[in-house]
Amino acid sequence: EVQLLESGGGLVQAGDSLILSCTASSFTFDDVPMGWFREAPGKEREGVALMRSNNGTASEGGTFYPDSVKGRFTISIDNTKSTVYLQKTRLKTEDTAVYHCAVGGRLTKEAKKYVYWGQGTPVTVSS
């Protein structure tokens, strides 16, 4: 069974940077859809970085970032460590949420189309 474990969340100040990690057991991040989603109180789960990997890089379809994080968030993978990262810079208070990684299924902004999910790591950005 595939298990995903996120780490790296915490309390930071606006303008800071943070790197989240998602390590998989019994899984290789290759030629599969993957992504980072966030869930803020009272809001729907939102995809903030989505990609389909190909030999450790984004496949021809590239990556997707919503306008709210474009230019600030970057998704990357290290298949030697079975880990996908989310690098976050210039954090804003509205980035406060629980961040989950997800893999498998279909490359889409719809969270329900992904098969495997981690438990999430909370990120709080203070002003």
Side-chain angles (χ1 to χ4, degrees):
E1 181 181 349
V2 175
Q3 293 185 328
L4 304 174
L5 181 63
E6 302 97 335
S7 61
L11 174 63
V12 296
Q13 292 189 324
D16 283 353
S17 298
L18 200 63
I19 298 178
L20 306 183
S21 301
C22 172
T23 300
S25 62
S26 306
F27 197 82
T28 299
F29 292 105
D30 194 29
D31 196 26
V32 290
M34 65 187 72
W36 285 94
F37 288 78
R38 67 184 178 189
E39 194 165 20
K43 295 185 178 181
E44 291 187 359
R45 195 167 287 193
E46 173 194 21
V48 296
L50 309 174
M51 70 178 284
R52 187 180 188 98
S53 67
N54 184 7
N55 290 326
T57 60
S59 64
E60 187 177 341
T63 57
F64 165 80
Y65 304 97
D67 289 342
S68 58
V69 308
K70 193 174 293 183
R72 300 190 298 120
F73 288 12
T74 303
I75 186 172
S76 62
I77 60 173
D78 184 344
N79 268 330
T80 65
K81 299 179 180 179
S82 295
T83 299
V84 58
Y85 302 97
L86 181 66
Q87 183 173 358
K88 305 159 63 176
T89 62
R90 291 178 281 134
L91 283 163
K92 305 176 180 180
T93 55
E94 51 263 44
D95 293 323
T96 294
V98 176
Y99 285 75
H100 301 263
C101 65
V103 299
R106 185 178 153 198
L107 184 61
T108 171
K109 291 181 282 185
E110 296 180 64
K112 62 183 179 181
K113 299 297 186 180
Y114 290 80
V115 177
Y116 302 106
W117 289 84
Q119 291 299 308
T121 183
V123 174
T124 301
V125 184
S126 64
S127 59

